[in-house]
Amino acid sequence: MEKYERIKKAVFPVAGLGTRFLPATKDIPKEMMPLIDRPLIHHGVDEAVASGCTEVVFVTGEGKESIRRYFEPSELLVSTLRERGKEALAAKVESIHELAKFSYAFQEKPLGLGHAVLCAEEFCGGEYFGLLLPDDVMVAEPPVLSQLEAVREKYGYSVLCLEEVDEKDVSRYGIVEAEEVEPGIYRVKALVEKPSPEEAPSRLAIMGRYLLSPKIFPHLKNLKRGAGGEYQLTDAISSLLREEPVYAVIYRGRRHDCGVKEGWIKATVARALEDPELRKIILDTVAEYEKI
Ligand code: G1P
């Protein structure tokens, strides 16, 4: 039997417009919005690195230069911090560009997630890869990408990340029809992108972490426009299913959907509550305003 190779490559689609946060995202990419002291995208990269990835590609679009700058060395800032004796901060900033080997693919137009992934084909070089949607901030131990990897190690093939959602929310996600092969692990039978509650085959929704087979690429190339007039990754995975199996797992952990204001606020509060100093600030503030 061939030796099992863990994935090394992580793809981050970051070409979206961030309309839900306008005007805040007029001049900064939504992926650069801070969650406490790190931009959202940094949280995703940390998860990929903690899952063993050493190479990252950002599929970027117009106006996303600050993401590239963020992951480049900032010698001036680091030396200024050192001159001022702020060694811990200098080390924190310096470590960012050392997290992984970063590269960039350009998506000229936001034509959908399927199209974004296709832009990363060259980077993936025929290997299995991780796909992380940075809007979904996952708090989990082991990291969610590692949880998917454990399923691939056992069953092989692509692995999707699932959460059971309320019926009213199925139309926000890709939904799978699947057969449970052991508690929490499924073999996918069919997928549908953003169905109405009547059309949805289940309430098992795909979340923003994927482990994908390189065989996905020909299916991405043959895609026709799907839901919302976009090239949908979900449709390419449906097509891949005719060639090889696809598995899925209900992840263990918590997800914050930072693509919407409610989720971003919740994530900020939840993260702050984990830090003893910030926890006090949050609780004191709530107590103070409750009285008004
Ligand atoms: C994308 C996928 C969808 C998935 C979702 C997870 O949708 O197309 O299948 O359920 O991410 O966040 P988007 O949120 O980009 O509309």
Side-chain angles (χ1 to χ4, degrees):
M1 210 174 127
E2 273 181 49
K3 193 176 158 283
Y4 181 79
E5 296 259 4
R6 287 179 67 94
I7 55 155
K8 295 191 291 290
K9 298 182 173 182
V11 175
F12 287 86
V14 294
L17 297 177
T19 47
R20 290 196 180 102
F21 284 96
L22 280 171
T25 48
K26 181 173 165 286
D27 269 331
I28 57 158
K30 65 170 173 171
E31 297 80 9
M32 292 300 289
M33 302 242 308
L35 190 50
I36 310 291
D37 60 354
R38 283 177 295 158
L40 288 176
I41 188 70
H42 189 153
H43 290 265
V45 168
D46 276 345
E47 179 187 333
V49 170
S51 304
C53 292
T54 52
E55 292 173 48
V56 164
V57 68
F58 296 114
V59 181
T60 62
E62 285 291 329
K64 302 280 178 161
E65 297 75 18
S66 58
I67 297 180
R68 181 192 283 263
R69 282 198 302 274
Y70 182 80
F71 288 100
E72 273 172 359
S74 11
E75 278 143 32
L76 187 62
L77 176 59
V78 169
S79 61
T80 310
L81 289 169
R82 290 227 156 92
E83 277 163 25
R84 295 183 184 176
K86 298 189 185 301
E87 180 50 43
L89 258 186
K92 220 182 204 182
V93 173
E94 199 168 38
S95 68
I96 297 172
H97 77 276
E98 292 163 349
L99 282 170
K101 186 170 166 252
F102 296 101
S103 48
Y104 300 84
F106 194 70
Q107 186 185 18
E108 278 182 22
K109 284 188 184 154
L111 295 176
L113 182 56
H115 181 255
V117 177
L118 183 56
C119 294
E121 180 177 18
E122 207 182 305
F123 165 85
C124 294
E127 295 171 27
Y128 271 83
F129 61 97
L131 168 67
L132 298 94
L133 311 189
D135 281 1
D136 277 345
V137 171
M138 309 300 255
V139 184
E141 196 45 56
V144 174
L145 206 57
S146 293
Q147 296 180 29
L148 305 194
E149 186 87 85
V151 175
R152 184 169 77 96
E153 189 160 10
K154 187 162 176 192
Y155 293 94
Y157 303 106
S158 302
V159 185
L160 313 181
C161 170
L162 298 179
E163 182 179 310
E164 197 163 342
V165 297
D166 288 342
E167 196 182 308
K168 64 171 176 36
D169 292 328
V170 290
S171 57
R172 290 173 50 195
Y173 299 99
I175 302 291
V176 301
E177 180 187 333
E179 178 194 337
E180 198 166 30
V181 290
E182 63 177 273
I185 301 180
Y186 296 82
R187 184 159 170 182
V188 177
K189 297 281 170 205
L191 306 92
V192 41
E193 179 67 10
K194 304 200 171 77
S196 65
E198 298 75 43
E199 290 162 336
S202 75
R203 290 191 290 114
L204 294 173
I206 304 171
M207 297 299 143
R209 298 293 183 272
Y210 304 73
L211 225 162
L212 292 171
S213 153
K215 293 213 170 130
I216 191 72
F217 288 108
H219 298 274
L220 288 168
K221 280 181 196 147
N222 289 327
L223 270 181
K224 297 199 171 43
R225 286 181 191 260
E230 296 190 338
Y231 294 98
Q232 297 290 353
L233 175 63
T234 304
D235 295 342
I237 301 172
S238 283
S239 170
L240 174 68
L241 260 188
R242 293 197 284 272
E243 187 181 346
E244 62 179 30
V246 172
Y247 286 86
V249 58
I250 299 203
Y251 72 93
R252 295 177 309 278
R254 300 192 79 156
R255 175 181 66 103
H256 298 295
D257 178 3
C258 293
V260 294
K261 280 181 207 141
E262 303 87 289
W264 181 75
I265 291 168
K266 255 180 108 171
T268 304
V269 174
R271 278 291 164 111
L273 287 173
E274 285 162 16
D275 177 300
E277 231 171 85
L278 297 177
R279 183 183 176 84
K280 189 169 170 352
I281 295 172
I282 294 273
L283 297 179
D284 289 353
T285 308
V286 171
E288 186 185 334
Y289 279 79
E290 281 277 275
K291 280 188 228 134
I292 298 172

